[in-house]
Amino acid sequence: MRRRAAALAPVLLALVAPAWAAAADHAPQAARVQCVTACAGAHRVAPGSTVRWEGRHLAAIKSVRFSAHGGRENVDPTASRGNFVTARVPRRAVTGRPVLVGSRGQQTYAKAVLSVVSRHRVLSPNAFGLLHSRARPHTAFFDGHQVRVSFRFAARGPRDVKVKMVRASTGAVVDSRVLHQVTPFAKHVLRWTGTRGGRSIAPAGVYEVRIGRPGHKGTHAGHFKLFPFEFPVRGSHSYGGAEQRFGAPRSGGRVHQGQDVLSPCGTREVAARGGRVQAEGYDPVLYGYWLVIDGRHTRTDYRYAHLEAPTPVARGRRVRTGQTVGHVGRTGNARTVGCMLHFEEWPRGWENGSPIDPLPDLERWDRWS
């Protein structure tokens, strides 16, 4: 019997251990704590203030234990979800680190200490102050990465917050958005595309972000530049000489239909304008690996040629401004000249129209990107 028990022991441990591990994995964990209503600060509260803890597996929290005059005081949560729990500060609470208590007695708490102050220290009902804000990226492009505005503000409790995009050169508000009942002191993120209904509402230029209460001018919260195109070669480059220009004579009576941008092989190439890949392929005699992008909200098609390898974006695929479409190569007839991007602009469509000299556009895009 002893031998049998000894043989069964590892099996029993193997069966029980995963249950222990699972219980440990789902133990409540509080990472952050902050005041939500009747606040004197992010971690400054008064009796009657609502406090919010954020973390993991917090739906199991059944009570919150505050340090209090004469000992400790337990209160029931006012709300409880998997990633947060809220509770009201009791009348006798004092400064300390409240403990969150689970249904099986497990305990957790956030590292921040809650300072309990008197009710007259609570912020006034109309108080609003921007604590932190940032707008990224500093340079954005139409149909490219969204502008990301992050901010925190101080207030007595949740507030409606208005975020405005202001054109710096004119002071005109090109877009605004009201965020309803936003929690104070927490980090909030708003993403802006510069479009409405898929079309641009923001001309090229510098923009200021202003944040405040509806009906007020708002506080400066960052700035960024917005442009309609991004230069397609993301590395050192030059425009070569007369042979690389649009209209330069070629053998067989042809003329050069684009502008060559000389750059080291392997340099990343991006979509100068987002849109849809209209065609792609390989021409061993002239263009090597190439693709054509139908520019979004334009009639213009843009052709990229002499890529190092087949483009990673297939025909019919949607691409964004600044998205990688290939790398500088020397395929096709560029093998006798050197590494380059051959770039063409077709303002009435690649299949039905005629190309124009893209150099003025390339030089303009080059200046800002």
Side-chain angles (χ1 to χ4, degrees):
M1 289 295 293
R2 289 181 180 176
R3 291 179 182 176
R4 185 174 182 184
L8 287 174
V11 176
L12 292 173
L13 286 174
L15 293 173
V16 174
W20 292 343
D25 288 343
H26 292 84
Q29 300 174 20
R32 294 173 297 277
V33 59
Q34 66 183 44
C35 181
V36 176
T37 65
C39 302
H43 302 130
R44 290 168 60 83
V45 299
S49 299
T50 300
V51 180
R52 176 185 175 110
W53 289 263
E54 295 181 355
R56 301 175 60 194
H57 312 304
L58 298 181
I61 298 301
K62 299 304 179 185
S63 67
V64 180
R65 183 181 302 150
F66 286 85
S67 299
H69 292 290
R72 297 177 295 188
E73 185 169 349
N74 289 338
V75 299
D76 294 335
T78 54
S80 181
R81 299 289 188 275
N83 61 347
F84 78 91
V85 61
T86 62
R88 188 158 293 149
V89 179
R91 182 175 58 83
R92 296 187 305 114
V94 297
T95 297
R97 295 165 67 186
V99 179
L100 308 181
V101 183
S103 56
R104 297 195 302 273
Q106 50 290 48
Q107 300 180 1
T108 185
Y109 53 86
K111 295 180 180 180
V113 172
L114 285 180
S115 298
V116 180
V117 300
S118 59
R119 292 283 299 178
H120 76 272
R121 302 288 294 276
V122 171
L123 295 172
S124 67
N126 293 324
F128 183 96
L130 199 61
L131 299 174
H132 166 79
S133 62
R134 189 169 73 168
R136 292 290 186 275
H138 289 305
T139 302
F141 299 92
F142 169 80
D143 198 46
H145 293 299
Q146 298 173 340
V147 176
R148 185 177 184 271
V149 178
S150 60
F151 67 94
R152 292 186 297 112
F153 67 95
R156 179 190 181 102
R159 290 284 182 272
D160 287 352
V161 176
K162 191 168 189 176
V163 181
K164 296 186 287 188
M165 303 297 177
V166 181
R167 194 175 184 193
S169 61
T170 63
V173 177
V174 299
D175 201 9
S176 64
R177 188 180 307 177
V178 176
L179 310 178
H180 296 286
Q181 293 300 290
V182 182
T183 304
F185 304 107
K187 180 180 178 180
H188 303 283
V189 176
L190 177 145
R191 290 175 172 83
W192 187 69
T193 63
T195 63
R196 184 179 296 127
R199 297 198 173 269
S200 175
I201 59 173
V206 179
Y207 287 84
E208 178 190 12
V209 183
R210 300 193 69 86
I211 297 177
R213 291 177 293 163
H216 292 72
K217 182 179 179 180
T219 302
H220 174 80
H223 67 275
F224 59 91
K225 298 176 182 177
L226 180 67
F227 297 108
F229 294 87
E230 183 169 2
F231 190 76
V233 176
R234 308 313 302 157
S236 61
H237 58 272
S238 71
Y239 296 103
E243 284 295 308
Q244 279 70 50
R245 299 292 185 265
F246 178 83
R250 292 291 188 263
S251 61
R254 296 183 305 107
V255 295
H256 197 217
Q257 292 189 316
Q259 171 65 48
D260 294 333
V261 181
L262 309 182
S263 186
C265 276
T267 302
R268 189 167 66 96
E269 294 180 14
V270 302
R273 176 85 169 197
R276 196 166 298 279
V277 178
Q278 185 170 332
E280 53 87 16
Y282 178 69
D283 175 1
V285 177
L286 296 177
Y287 293 103
Y289 291 109
W290 60 271
L291 79 154
V292 175
I293 296 176
D294 182 7
R296 185 167 174 79
H297 296 313
T298 74
R299 297 180 64 185
T300 304
D301 293 343
Y302 302 92
R303 188 175 194 179
Y304 307 71
H306 304 315
L307 274 63
E308 186 176 54
T311 177
V313 288
R315 181 176 181 176
R317 182 173 169 182
R318 174 80 163 85
V319 295
R320 299 281 181 180
T321 303
Q323 182 177 334
T324 299
V325 296
H327 295 83
V328 172
R330 55 189 306 173
T331 55
N333 63 5
R335 63 186 175 273
T336 62
V337 181
C339 307
M340 68 175 71
L341 162 66
H342 171 86
F343 187 78
E344 298 177 1
E345 281 192 49
W346 295 74
R348 295 184 179 275
W350 170 64
E351 294 181 312
N352 302 314
S354 300
I356 62 171
D357 184 1
L359 183 58
D361 281 341
L362 286 169
E363 291 178 326
R364 184 168 63 256
W365 307 342
D366 205 355
R367 286 195 293 270
W368 65 50
S369 58

